[in-house]
């Protein structure tokens, strides 16, 4: 538990499901006041907010599409109006779809880049602007992926977006370090969330993924939420511009594990 998170105000984008939901839950359990951003599933989010409140936490829901500049501005304004601040911004919303690169339409390319990269730029920029205006030494956390460094055929738009997020984060970290606004990435490996549901429901596809994970299991959302809680807290006060790989060793060349090569 991180005592300094008590009373802090956090926004988590794409928090209706998966990693965003786990992060929102963890930050609320730490005593932060959490804005749960969602895209469309209002009923699911309302139920989620009730669960947080039943567990003694504080949270409110806000619908916004992270690709829309005005909606992201409204999201930050809502955090300020509802809970009086913005100390932690978790830009988590993301999408992926499989298409051979030679067949990828410009429309599909733009869709993924808009959510995964432009959305994180808008969320980071609006959060940093707010923190500067209010002299807040805040924490911005962007959700990249192991595919910010592992090439991924059939997912070129996704890999390009996550590589972009890595440099977005590092550049912002350098730029705003003098203001003590920290900006960091989390890069998960394969985690059990709805984005992977179809793949992990297919035993053969799941087995193929497991071969890529030296630790031998699919990560749990709570394991990524733990990284976010640490990066949000003062326990990581001297950490900025890092990419925290939470991947069971996936980025460590698993093909070499048995001394091959
Ligand atoms: P998920 O599909 O459960 O969550 C993504 C969330 O983003 C959904 O709730 C969705 O509604 C929301 N979203 C999509 N477009 C949006 C928009 N325009 N505006 C607002 N919200 C929007 O999957 P997840 O695994 O929880 O993914 C969360 C993040 O983690 C993504 O950025 C993803 O790329 C990243 N990631 C996931 C894994 C994994 O294995 N699960 C691995 C690496 C990175």
């Amino acid at each position: 538990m991180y005592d300094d998170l008590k009373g802090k105000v956090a926004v988590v984008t794409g928090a209706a499901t998966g990693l965003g939901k786990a992060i929102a839950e963890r930050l609320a359990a730490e005593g932060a006041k959490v804005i749960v951003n969602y895209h469309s599933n209002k009923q699911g989010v309302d139920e989620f907010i009730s669960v947080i409140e039943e567990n003694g936490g504080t949270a409110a829901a806000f619908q916004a599409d992270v690709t829309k500049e005005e909606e992201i501005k409204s999201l930050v304004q809502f955090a300020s109006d509802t809970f009086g601040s913005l100390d932690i911004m978790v830009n988590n919303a993301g999408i992926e779809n499989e298409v051979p690169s030679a067949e990828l339409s410009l429309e599909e390319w733009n869709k993924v880049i808009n959510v995964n990269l432009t959305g994180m730029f808008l969320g980071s920029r609006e959060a940093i602007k707010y923190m500067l205006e209010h002299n807040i030494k805040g924490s911005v956390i962007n959700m990249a992926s192991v595919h910010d460094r592992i090439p991924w055929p059939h997912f070129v738009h996704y890999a390009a977006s996550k590589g972009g997020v890595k440099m977005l984060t590092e550049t912002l970290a350098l730029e705003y370090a003098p203001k003590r606004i920290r900006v960091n990435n989390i890069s998960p490996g394969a985690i059990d969330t709805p984005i992977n549901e179809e793949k992990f429901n297919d035993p053969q596809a799941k087995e193929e993924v497991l071969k890529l994970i030296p630790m031998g299991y699919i990560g749990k959302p709570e394991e990524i939420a733990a990284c976010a809680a640490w990066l949000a807290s003062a326990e990581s006060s001297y950490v900025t511009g890092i990419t925290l790989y939470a991947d069971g060793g996936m980025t460590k060349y698993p093909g070499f594990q048995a001394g091959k090569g």
Side-chain angles (χ1 to χ4, degrees):
M1 297 298 279
Y2 302 105
D3 276 350
D4 66 285
L5 290 179
K6 281 200 178 72
K8 290 274 164 62
V9 178
V11 168
V12 185
T13 69
T17 57
L19 301 184
K21 188 175 183 184
I23 292 168
E25 201 165 15
R26 173 69 191 261
L27 291 176
E30 294 282 350
K33 299 170 187 167
V34 183
I35 304 294
V36 176
N37 159 252
Y38 68 99
H39 187 244
S40 40
N41 182 2
K42 184 171 184 331
Q43 195 193 338
V45 170
D46 286 344
E47 284 164 17
F48 177 42
I49 300 281
S50 302
V51 171
I52 288 178
E53 288 173 346
E54 278 161 24
N55 291 331
T58 305
F62 191 82
Q63 194 280 330
D65 178 336
V66 296
T67 67
K68 306 261 168 62
E69 189 170 23
E70 290 311 312
E71 296 187 18
I72 288 291
K73 286 183 177 180
S74 302
L75 172 63
V76 169
Q77 190 60 48
F78 180 75
S80 179
D81 293 346
T82 309
F83 294 137
S85 188
L86 176 60
D87 306 288
I88 300 153
M89 180 78 186
V90 184
N91 294 301
N92 162 79
I95 55 173
E96 68 180 44
N97 67 313
E98 181 173 5
V99 190
S101 299
E103 289 159 33
L104 181 66
S105 68
L106 179 59
E107 194 185 343
E108 282 172 300
W109 167 271
N110 283 338
K111 195 173 167 197
V112 169
I113 296 292
N114 281 343
V115 177
N116 294 11
L117 181 56
T118 308
M120 297 212 185
F121 159 66
L122 290 173
S124 298
R125 187 194 68 189
E126 288 308 306
I128 290 170
K129 203 188 293 178
Y130 184 91
M131 290 168 187
L132 289 172
E133 280 165 5
H134 296 83
N135 203 18
I136 293 167
K137 297 174 178 59
S139 173
V140 177
I141 299 166
N142 292 329
M143 197 58 72
S145 160
V146 289
H147 296 296
D148 59 26
R149 57 184 281 190
I150 302 177
W152 202 15
H154 296 197
F155 293 84
V156 69
H157 43 349
Y158 183 83
S161 73
K162 296 300 186 179
V165 168
K166 186 166 182 292
M167 282 311 290
L168 169 80
T169 296
E170 291 181 20
T171 301
L172 293 174
L174 184 59
E175 197 166 339
Y176 294 101
K179 297 291 182 189
R180 305 284 168 86
I181 296 171
R182 300 183 299 112
V183 191
N184 291 292
N185 281 318
I186 299 173
S187 287
I191 316 296
D192 192 8
T193 71
I195 220 170
N196 290 320
E197 203 171 338
E198 211 180 305
K199 189 163 43 187
F200 296 162
N201 280 343
D202 172 351
Q204 204 185 330
K206 188 174 177 183
E207 199 49 47
E208 288 303 317
V209 175
L210 284 170
K211 285 183 197 156
L212 301 171
I213 309 171
M215 287 182 76
Y217 72 96
I218 306 289
K220 299 189 242 346
E222 298 75 24
E223 293 179 291
I224 303 304
C227 298
W230 178 69
L231 285 173
S233 81
E235 286 293 300
S236 62
S237 54
Y238 206 48
V239 176
T240 196
I242 68 157
T243 297
L244 177 50
Y245 290 95
D247 65 354
M250 190 183 252
T251 46
K252 299 298 167 288
Y253 301 97
F256 286 81
Q257 197 171 15
K260 290 180 201 158

